[in-house]
Amino acid sequence: GAVVSQHPSRVICKSGTSVKIECRSLDFQATTMFWYRQFPKQSLMLMATSNEGSKATYEQGVEKDKFLINHASLTLSTLTVTSAHPEDSSFYICSARGSGRNTGELFFGEGSRLTVL
Amino acid sequence: RKEVEQDPGPFNVPEGATVAFNCTYSNSASQSFFWYRQDCRKEPKLLMSVYSSGNEDGRFTAQLNRASQYISLLIRDSKLSDSATYLCVVNRWDDYKLSFGAGTTVTVRA
């Protein structure tokens, strides 16, 4: 089946630094990828929709200048948390869906746990 | 009001028991419904889709009630390995974005 790989799985950084998280679809082309954030005991919150070759669409309340998304190819999307602060510490998960809007199943990456000191 | 609401639980049940829980959704235009399973600190994985006529997959049965806008999941003959958080997921047809519930935690004890 489809596999989505996310890297790194865990990152600890100092406040003020930037962190890049990669999301790759390994055996299918993902025209659309989604980035979620999950705080403990809360649901996944969609941050943005990443479309290959175009600008990402951000959800209300998500700062596009802070969470930079690049989807330069059909198999790779990146999320960069710029000038990270402790409140950005969270579990970030990407998901990917191939072409066609009828499918509802998303394939999730393994997630990246970010801790900002 | 949240788009998708779930009873957070936890539901603590003995092995072999039956456990059931619901999820309500607010958008009547929702078209597709799913149950995902999430283990602690792991990514969600699709458990099953929910069809209008209801569907069963082994020990798991899902039901959809459009009139009352809820879906349900029933687990029969619970196993220890069923311990997880079950996420209710709703897909809006107009923009195919998924909305997630906060999850219902199930703990099966020996």
Side-chain angles (χ1 to χ4, degrees), chain B residues 21-32:
Chain B
F21 41 89
N22 294 339
C23 157
T24 59
Y25 60 94
S26 61
N27 189 340
S28 60
S30 300
Q31 294 291 331
S32 304

Side-chain angles (χ1 to χ4, degrees), chain A residues 32 34 36 38 42-44 46 49 59 91 93 97 101-106 108-110 113, chain B residues 32 34 36 38 41-46 87 91-98 100-103:
Chain A
T32 304
F34 302 91
Y36 297 85
Q38 186 178 35
Q42 295 187 27
S43 64
L44 278 75
L46 179 65
T49 302
E59 295 300 299
F91 192 49
I93 307 177
R97 182 188 355 234
R101 58 185 291 165
N102 290 326
T103 180
E105 182 177 5
L106 291 184
F108 287 87
E110 304 93 331
R113 188 164 298 282
Chain B
S32 304
F34 310 89
Y36 276 75
Q38 185 175 27
R41 295 174 178 260
K42 297 284 183 68
E43 77 277 19
K45 293 184 179 177
L46 180 66
L87 305 177
N91 185 13
R92 298 195 306 233
W93 187 248
D94 53 351
D95 61 6
Y96 59 90
K97 289 182 181 175
L98 297 185
F100 288 79

Side-chain angles (χ1 to χ4, degrees), chain A residues 37-68:
Chain A
R37 180 167 53 184
Q38 186 178 35
F39 292 106
K41 297 186 184 293
Q42 295 187 27
S43 64
L44 278 75
M45 296 300 297
L46 179 65
M47 298 175 65
T49 302
S50 172
N51 301 299
E52 186 270 332
S54 64
K55 291 183 179 180
T57 304
Y58 290 81
E59 295 300 299
Q60 192 172 13
V62 179
E63 299 176 59
K64 62 180 181 181
D65 294 329
K66 180 166 184 64
F67 298 99
L68 300 178

Side-chain angles (χ1 to χ4, degrees), chain A residues 3-78:
Chain A
V3 177
V4 174
S5 176
Q6 189 173 337
H7 177 81
S9 60
R10 188 181 298 270
V11 59
I12 300 173
C13 69
K14 292 182 179 179
S15 185
T17 59
S18 293
V19 175
K20 179 185 283 188
I21 302 170
E22 293 187 348
C23 181
R24 293 179 186 274
S25 56
L26 297 184
D27 59 359
F28 68 104
Q29 294 182 330
T31 54
T32 304
M33 290 186 174
F34 302 91
W35 286 96
Y36 297 85
R37 180 167 53 184
Q38 186 178 35
F39 292 106
K41 297 186 184 293
Q42 295 187 27
S43 64
L44 278 75
M45 296 300 297
L46 179 65
M47 298 175 65
T49 302
S50 172
N51 301 299
E52 186 270 332
S54 64
K55 291 183 179 180
T57 304
Y58 290 81
E59 295 300 299
Q60 192 172 13
V62 179
E63 299 176 59
K64 62 180 181 181
D65 294 329
K66 180 166 184 64
F67 298 99
L68 300 178
I69 291 173
N70 185 284
H71 194 156
S73 76
L74 285 170
T75 60
L76 173 65
S77 176
T78 61

